[in-house]
Amino acid sequence: MAGQASFPVSIRVEEAPFDPTAELARLSGADDMGAVVSFTGLCRGEGGRLAALELEHYPGMVEAELARLIAEAGRRWPLLAVTVIHRHGRIAVGEPIVLVITASAHREAAFSAAAFLMDWLKTRAPFWKREIAADGTPGDWIEAKADDDAAASRWDAPEAAQ
Amino acid sequence: MAGQASFPVSIRVEEAPFDPTAELARLSGADDMGAVVSFTGLCRGEGGRLAALELEHYPGMVEAELARLIAEAGRRWPLLAVTVIHRHGRIAVGEPIVLVITASAHREAAFSAAAFLMDWLKTRAPFWKREIAADGTPGDWIEAKADDDAAASRWDAPEAAQ
Amino acid sequence: MKVRYFAWLRERVGRAEEEIALPPHIETVGDLVGWLKSRGPEFEGAFENAAVVRAALDHTHASLDTRLGQAQEVAFFPPMTGG
Amino acid sequence: MKVRYFAWLRERVGRAEEEIALPPHIETVGDLVGWLKSRGPEFEGAFENAAVVRAALDHTHASLDTRLGQAQEVAFFPPMTGG
């Protein structure tokens, strides 16, 4: 998991809302950039039950861990650029929480790398979510899901990197 | 493959360049929209060899086939919205050719549906590409790739749809 | 019946579309291909490799043994290369 | 050594971080957890279920048998729920 990526990488961990479309526009296409995949994760309202999520994070480690995940993605797929933006603090229903953008020559690498980054980010990047109910009351910390562990572990075997 | 999708669908087949970021912004987040995946396919220059691609299409059938693919995706995954935009005519190196956006409550459905739509679009939507060399000379029609057939066929078995 | 041709099939047959009166006993897409090939060397050449010819009836993918039925439009084209 | 706590672990131990002087014979993350649990009921409670406690040494994920070595900072937290 050590090492630097050999392509342009943008990592931002910030409190302010971001605009996924502006981030996508920032990516200038290289001659061989044939495929760009973006994933935007948004705060769901759970049928009106929630007003927001509150995200705690571990400053310093988050950035280091995201850089490691991106470097690992770069070893598995021929990437041309990666952007990861993750918010912390209070995130209202409907607002974006996380954005992952991957660029490659071909679609398979871009799709796989984006899915890989999201799966590993969910289980490895030090963020913790707490629910804020519709009436503003802080609620429970969200528990990690077995589904997310399963999604992350499908990338464990080196042969899964195809 | 018959039937209508039960979620908002936008299909556009047009000659003018489009802005992927503006299309992404058009998607208004429903309360339960937790995941949005976009795929943008761009015209590669193949190391300076090409100036553009020229795309021929079958008007009428393209729209009908894309609607069928989207309806099929809607039967396989719980989607909240799908956008597909595909250009025809001359597309310069660096310009977007195709955009697929899928929205769902969770990331797995959004990722799978976007990959499925691209794989099936490549082998089923009636478009044909011809190369335009860097000096402007029309070149060969691009041949269909066995890789694309393989990518499409991984979705054949109903059990592959999760 | 309207017949349309796309991409290199269009170039080889030298036209984008035409109206044809279906001769009797032409019941399937494959029958139609066989009859088209009898119309001249440009059709013989365009359809010589059946493995790389795709067909659609009224905007829906069809195979060689699909029956023409009441279709208004049949189209022939190479394997698709969009996206 | 700086020890940091996050999310419900932070709430249960009642502090976000502290400086501790490592007692002798504390060589691994697991040794440190054992020692922390001896400091009082809030630590005993926070660390009672080892299966849901994660650790990092100097911003890198670690396990219970990772040696503390020269690490400047150790952090304890629940399984992550970002994204």
Side-chain angles (χ1 to χ4, degrees):
Chain A
M1 292 279 297
Q4 287 279 297
S6 59
F7 44 84
V9 169
S10 171
I11 297 173
R12 282 163 36 206
V13 180
E14 56 197 23
E15 192 154 4
F18 62 85
D19 177 0
T21 68
E23 300 306 326
L24 200 56
R26 216 180 282 271
L27 216 77
S28 63
D31 176 272
D32 54 348
M33 189 178 288
V36 176
V37 168
S38 80
F39 174 86
T40 307
L42 301 149
C43 178
R44 289 192 307 273
E46 307 293 357
R49 192 170 60 79
L50 300 185
L53 291 169
E54 180 79 30
L55 266 92
E56 183 167 332
H57 77 302
Y58 183 177
M61 179 169 170
V62 165
E63 293 84 351
E65 187 64 19
L66 291 176
R68 288 188 285 261
L69 299 187
I70 293 169
E72 178 63 25
R75 277 187 289 277
R76 295 181 181 216
W77 295 280
L79 300 178
L80 295 169
V82 171
T83 294
V84 175
I85 303 176
H86 203 302
R87 290 177 62 197
H88 59 87
R90 186 189 170 94
I91 296 167
V93 167
E95 287 182 358
I97 302 171
V98 60
L99 175 69
V100 167
I101 305 177
T102 55
S104 185
H106 299 285
R107 72 186 186 289
E108 199 282 332
F111 267 122
S112 295
F116 165 84
L117 284 169
M118 277 308 304
D119 287 345
W120 275 34
L121 182 158
K122 283 243 170 198
T123 56
R124 300 186 62 95
F127 290 98
W128 302 273
K129 286 197 192 95
R130 173 200 292 261
E131 297 183 340
I132 307 292
D135 66 2
T137 321
D140 292 334
W141 292 96
I142 290 179
E143 282 193 49
K145 294 186 192 69
D147 275 3
D148 286 333
D149 289 336
S153 66
R154 72 186 162 124
W155 305 103
D156 281 354
E159 60 271 26
Q162 290 302 306
Chain B
M1 290 280 297
Q4 288 278 298
S6 59
F7 44 85
V9 169
S10 171
I11 297 174
R12 281 163 37 205
V13 181
E14 56 196 24
E15 192 153 5
F18 63 85
D19 177 359
T21 66
E23 300 306 325
L24 200 56
R26 217 180 282 272
L27 216 76
S28 63
D31 176 271
D32 53 349
M33 190 178 287
V36 177
V37 168
S38 80
F39 174 86
T40 307
L42 301 148
C43 178
R44 290 191 308 273
E46 307 294 356
R49 193 169 60 78
L50 301 185
L53 290 170
E54 179 80 30
L55 266 91
E56 184 168 330
H57 77 302
Y58 183 175
M61 179 169 170
V62 165
E63 293 83 351
E65 187 64 19
L66 291 176
R68 287 188 286 261
L69 300 187
I70 294 169
E72 178 62 25
R75 277 187 289 278
R76 295 182 180 215
W77 295 280
L79 301 178
L80 295 169
V82 171
T83 294
V84 175
I85 302 175
H86 203 301
R87 289 178 63 199
H88 58 86
R90 186 188 169 94
I91 296 166
V93 166
E95 287 182 358
I97 302 171
V98 61
L99 174 70
V100 167
I101 306 176
T102 55
S104 186
H106 299 285
R107 73 188 185 285
E108 199 280 335
F111 268 121
S112 295
F116 165 84
L117 285 170
M118 277 308 304
D119 287 345
W120 274 34
L121 181 158
K122 284 243 171 200
T123 56
R124 299 187 61 97
F127 290 99
W128 301 273
K129 284 196 193 97
R130 173 201 290 263
E131 297 184 340
I132 308 290
D135 65 2
T137 322
D140 291 334
W141 292 96
I142 290 179
E143 282 191 48
K145 295 185 191 71
D147 275 3
D148 286 331
D149 288 335
S153 67
R154 73 187 162 124
W155 305 103
D156 281 352
E159 60 270 26
Q162 296 292 325
Chain C
M1 171 177 255
K2 183 188 270 191
V3 186
R4 305 184 68 168
Y5 309 94
F6 292 93
W8 56 253
L9 255 147
R10 172 179 52 72
E11 295 178 332
R12 290 198 195 168
V13 301
R15 70 204 77 183
E17 59 180 75
E18 59 183 328
E19 282 292 335
I20 59 163
L22 269 193
H25 309 304
I26 301 293
E27 295 186 347
T28 66
V29 172
D31 294 343
L32 178 57
V33 168
W35 178 76
L36 288 169
K37 285 170 79 172
S38 73
R39 293 168 81 207
E42 72 276 29
F43 285 94
E44 182 75 45
F47 287 95
E48 69 185 344
N49 184 355
V52 292
V53 175
R54 301 284 180 272
L57 283 185
D58 289 343
H59 296 170
T60 301
H61 287 293
S63 61
L64 287 179
D65 52 8
T66 304
R67 301 184 73 80
L68 297 173
Q70 301 303 309
Q72 303 291 301
E73 182 172 305
V74 57
F76 293 103
F77 40 79
M80 288 137 281
T81 56
Chain D
M1 171 177 256
K2 182 189 273 191
V3 185
R4 305 183 68 168
Y5 309 94
F6 292 93
W8 56 254
L9 256 148
R10 171 179 52 72
E11 294 178 333
R12 291 198 194 169
V13 301
R15 70 203 78 181
E17 59 180 75
E18 60 183 327
E19 284 289 337
I20 60 164
L22 268 193
H25 309 303
I26 300 293
E27 297 188 345
T28 67
V29 173
D31 294 344
L32 178 57
V33 169
W35 178 76
L36 288 170
K37 285 171 79 171
S38 75
R39 293 167 80 208
E42 72 275 29
F43 285 95
E44 182 76 43
F47 287 95
E48 69 184 343
N49 183 357
V52 291
V53 175
R54 302 282 179 273
L57 283 185
D58 289 342
H59 296 171
T60 300
H61 287 293
S63 60
L64 287 178
D65 52 9
T66 305
R67 301 185 73 79
L68 296 173
Q70 301 302 311
Q72 304 291 303
E73 181 171 307
V74 59
F76 293 103
F77 39 79
M80 287 137 282
T81 56

